Amino acid sequence: MDHRSHIIASQQRVVLARAGIINPESIADYIAHDGYTALGKALTQMTPAQVLQEIIDAGVQGRGGAGFPIGMKLKFVAEARRSQSSPAGAGQSGVKYVLCNADESEPGTFKDRLILEGDPHSILEGMMLAGYAVGAREGYIYIRGEYRLARQRLEHAMAQAHEFGLLGEKIFGADFSFDIHIHSGAGAYICGEETALIESLEGNRGEPRIRPPYPVTNGIWGNPTAVNNVESLANLPPIIRQGAAWYRTIGTAKCPGTKVYTMLGDLNVTGLIEAPMGTTLRTVIEVYGGGMKGGKPFKLAQTGGSSGSILDASFLDVPMDLAELASRGGGLGSGALLICGDDTCVVDLAHVLLRFFATESCGKCVPCRIGTTRAKEILEQLADARATMDDLVQLERIAANMQIASFCGLGQAAAVPILTALRFFRDEFVAHAQAHKCPTGVCAMRGESVTATTGPRERKELATAA
Ligand SMILES: Cc1cc2nc3c(=O)[nH]c(=O)nc-3n(C[C@H](O)[C@H](O)[C@H](O)COP(=O)(O)O)c2cc1C
Ligand code: SF4
């Protein structure tokens, strides 16, 4: 067995069970591999309350980053009435929605794209199960604009499902009708935040809304809305098909199920894997990643995409689940794992990340609008040997303020890589600020001819030349 086949064989695939095996453009293939059996079971043998209870009992948490229990969210929507504070005429009493968040604009994250491209019917089935559980008859998929193939496959799957009577009126002959619409985003990272996403879907500027009220009571056009991530929804068919007790045998007690991880960086093998919650970083690196590239020593991992925590080697054997990492000051986020060897400069990495957040900040609130830009500037000064210890103190203060005072998750999370990097790699920041030295030699010292757009390779060359 070659290494890649070994990697596939050693995974535990629940969400990706069919990806790469079936033809994603064939509903017959999907049905031949247990497709739509969960929906059939739910609509012919279970009440909406029973479907809801099964999802609650499974203990499955959202896979979009925040880890909120999916069953609880659906319960809130099931029990919600349209809020009195909704704009007049904006919604109809009793109307509820299921909204699939397929915006996926976090750099380093591409798991949802591959789920959508590899198994589009599983998302339709997941949305219908959620719709049945909460009493919705309409759903929206808000998809990243660049995901053209995924959109094409979803549209094709929807047309086929309509043809087979699996989408539309009286599905499986039951008293349940459901339809789905697709909306493409226009490229703003903030539109992945659930309330900005709803604003954008309604045709407004994509800026977050104040919460509460939450979308579970005041979502699309003021109606109760379940906003869930692609991977979250893809977990629902296997849960209903095989039951909550089965689901709980996978993963950890606090975080059942699997996680789809993206593996990037200094690994021999990069890409997408699905493994039980609780898999360690060491297993990801050694088993799935085929070891560190060129045998270089491990230095750090950023878990959870660009807004994730920057963690050191003390995390290598920690079971990675949402609860365990959070209890140790880390976070799993969307499950994107960036693995870096000892030639990575943590200041340089933080600078690259903050450049992204400063560009993507929507500008609505001061802590994030000014904070991300100032943090980016200080990191740039640190990398260019133009910063002092006072600047370092200011950087930490700005990040702490962004975390507590930003209006939405973008500003709050933009502080995470800075604060965690400072926690685990403070000496490296101090070396840049005090001694004007980059311990890894990545940053060119003394600032000569270094610009904000100079990449790590050029910096290294400049450092060597100096
Ligand atoms: C700036 C920002 C971007 C986000 N982008 C996404 C995204 O692309 N996909 C996603 O599912 N959730 C994203 N989220 C989280 C959503 O707001 C929301 O928590 C999630 O869609 C809920 O789904 P879940 O409960 O199934 O995880 C983002 C949050 C923030 C603050
Ligand atoms: S935190 Fe950033 S993205 Fe969120 S509202 Fe404030 S400025 Fe906009």
Side-chain angles (χ1 to χ4, degrees), residues 150-213:
R151 182 176 173 141
Q152 247 175 43
R153 293 214 165 135
L154 279 170
E155 282 172 339
H156 186 72
M158 280 160 52
Q160 286 182 328
H162 267 292
E163 218 176 283
F164 276 62
L166 293 165
L167 192 59
E169 297 299 313
K170 303 242 174 257
I171 300 165
F172 278 100
D175 187 21
F176 175 69
S177 304
F178 199 83
D179 224 329
I180 297 177
H181 317 274
I182 307 187
H183 182 95
S184 286
Y189 171 57
I190 189 59
C191 287
E193 193 282 334
E194 58 186 15
T195 60
L197 186 151
I198 290 169
E199 284 290 310
S200 167
L201 189 67
E202 291 178 2
N204 306 320
R205 185 185 165 112
E207 280 185 354
R209 292 177 178 169
I210 195 152
R211 298 183 312 169

Side-chain angles (χ1 to χ4, degrees), residues 8-45:
I8 292 174
S10 55
Q11 293 179 44
Q12 184 165 11
R13 290 186 163 208
V14 171
V15 165
L16 295 172
R18 279 178 291 256
I21 291 173
I22 63 163
N23 172 0
E25 302 199 343
S26 162
I27 191 169
D29 241 14
Y30 182 70
I31 291 169
H33 288 79
D34 291 332
Y36 290 116
T37 50
L39 186 64
K41 180 179 171 187
L43 297 186
T44 58
Q45 300 168 34

Side-chain angles (χ1 to χ4, degrees), residues 36-47 51 54 129 132 172 239-243:
Y36 290 116
T37 50
L39 186 64
K41 180 179 171 187
L43 297 186
T44 58
Q45 300 168 34
M46 298 169 82
T47 63
V51 171
E54 201 70 38
L129 288 168
Y132 183 62
F172 278 100
I239 288 172
I240 297 304
R241 200 171 59 243
Q242 299 181 73

Side-chain angles (χ1 to χ4, degrees), residues 131-381:
Y132 183 62
V134 304
R137 43 172 300 151
E138 235 176 318
Y140 284 87
I141 301 172
Y142 188 102
I143 189 166
R144 180 179 170 147
E146 291 90 340
Y147 284 7
R148 293 195 186 89
L149 179 62
R151 182 176 173 141
Q152 247 175 43
R153 293 214 165 135
L154 279 170
E155 282 172 339
H156 186 72
M158 280 160 52
Q160 286 182 328
H162 267 292
E163 218 176 283
F164 276 62
L166 293 165
L167 192 59
E169 297 299 313
K170 303 242 174 257
I171 300 165
F172 278 100
D175 187 21
F176 175 69
S177 304
F178 199 83
D179 224 329
I180 297 177
H181 317 274
I182 307 187
H183 182 95
S184 286
Y189 171 57
I190 189 59
C191 287
E193 193 282 334
E194 58 186 15
T195 60
L197 186 151
I198 290 169
E199 284 290 310
S200 167
L201 189 67
E202 291 178 2
N204 306 320
R205 185 185 165 112
E207 280 185 354
R209 292 177 178 169
I210 195 152
R211 298 183 312 169
Y214 293 92
V216 288
T217 53
N218 286 58
I220 305 175
W221 295 296
N223 295 297
T225 303
V227 186
N228 277 115
N229 171 258
V230 169
E231 185 187 347
S232 305
L233 291 163
N235 270 283
L236 302 189
I239 288 172
I240 297 304
R241 200 171 59 243
Q242 299 181 73
W246 163 80
Y247 192 77
R248 279 192 172 273
T249 62
I250 309 167
T252 61
K254 284 189 181 155
C255 299
T258 59
K259 184 76 198 77
V260 181
Y261 298 101
T262 45
M263 305 184 301
L264 292 170
D266 291 328
L267 293 171
N268 284 318
V269 182
T270 53
L272 198 75
I273 55 154
E274 184 174 357
M277 279 280 190
T279 300
T280 64
L281 270 172
R282 194 183 296 283
T283 304
V284 169
I285 295 167
E286 289 175 7
V287 178
Y288 302 116
M292 296 294 294
K293 203 179 214 163
K296 62 175 91 165
F298 169 89
K299 176 170 179 177
L300 64 89
Q302 190 180 21
T303 55
S306 297
S307 55
S309 314
I310 294 180
L311 308 176
D312 66 5
S314 67
F315 281 81
L316 278 172
D317 295 305
V318 173
M320 280 193 298
D321 71 21
L322 296 151
E324 188 63 35
L325 278 185
S327 74
R328 293 169 186 254
L332 188 55
S334 59
L337 304 175
L338 174 70
I339 310 291
C340 298
D342 66 349
D343 56 353
T344 300
C345 169
V346 75
V347 172
D348 195 59
L349 174 61
H351 174 220
V352 170
L353 297 170
L354 262 292
R355 244 172 31 201
F356 169 75
F357 290 119
T359 306
E360 291 296 332
S361 167
C362 83
K364 178 170 174 152
C365 72
V366 171
C368 169
R369 185 179 69 236
I370 310 289
T372 51
T373 297
R374 257 320 273 146
K376 179 200 75 170
E377 286 169 357
I378 295 174
L379 286 161
E380 199 171 296
Q381 287 163 356

Side-chain angles (χ1 to χ4, degrees), residues 62-66 68 73 101 103-105 112 189-190 192-194 227-229 232 409-410:
R63 303 301 201 240
F68 192 80
K73 188 182 282 186
N101 187 345
D103 192 55
E104 198 169 59
S105 304
D112 294 341
Y189 171 57
I190 189 59
E193 193 282 334
E194 58 186 15
V227 186
N228 277 115
N229 171 258
S232 305
L410 191 152

